[in-house]
Amino acid sequence: MAGLPAIVSAPQQDMLSASFPICGDGPRVTCVVDGDTFWHQGVKIRIADIDTPELSPPRCDAERVKGEAAKRRLRDLLNAGKFSLVAGWRDEDRHGRKLRTVTRNGHSIGETLIAEGLAHRWDGTRRGWCD
């Protein structure tokens, strides 16, 4: 989906909020898995408009470092205030994760991660993070 706009059709008012820790080994209800996957109220969500470095397992040390930074930044962004989850043309991926664009004030949180160099725009192709 190359060329997707940064502003998506989001609700007029963001209504969702939670306290997001980094996921641990226990049950996952509301927590951040990595830079593009998190749990919210028992539902696993894959951010639809971005791809971030892999952590399980990373292919190189540079990918691990950037992946950990993306995970922490997503946690901080989700914890920064109310947000919305916007469904796209596909409800779930092949792993059963809900595909959603995360927005705040109508702007994609994924675009923030892209602008900060912690994510690539998802165009259907994984790109490497190793030099």
Side-chain angles (χ1 to χ4, degrees), residues 13-62:
Q13 185 174 9
D14 297 323
M15 302 293 287
L16 303 174
S17 67
S19 177
F20 287 88
I22 300 296
C23 295
D25 292 330
R28 295 179 173 186
V29 178
T30 299
C31 61
V32 174
V33 175
D34 61 25
D36 56 26
T37 306
F38 64 96
W39 287 81
H40 183 253
Q41 298 179 344
V43 177
K44 193 172 188 181
I45 298 173
R46 167 67 162 79
I47 300 177
D49 59 341
I50 62 170
D51 186 43
T52 60
E54 293 301 318
L55 289 172
S56 57
R59 290 176 285 265
C60 65
D61 195 51

Side-chain angles (χ1 to χ4, degrees), residues 98-115:
K98 296 294 184 182
L99 295 170
R100 300 291 183 265
T101 300
V102 183
T103 63
R104 178 171 290 120
N105 299 321
H107 289 63
S108 165
I109 285 177
E111 289 293 326
T112 300
L113 291 166
I114 292 168

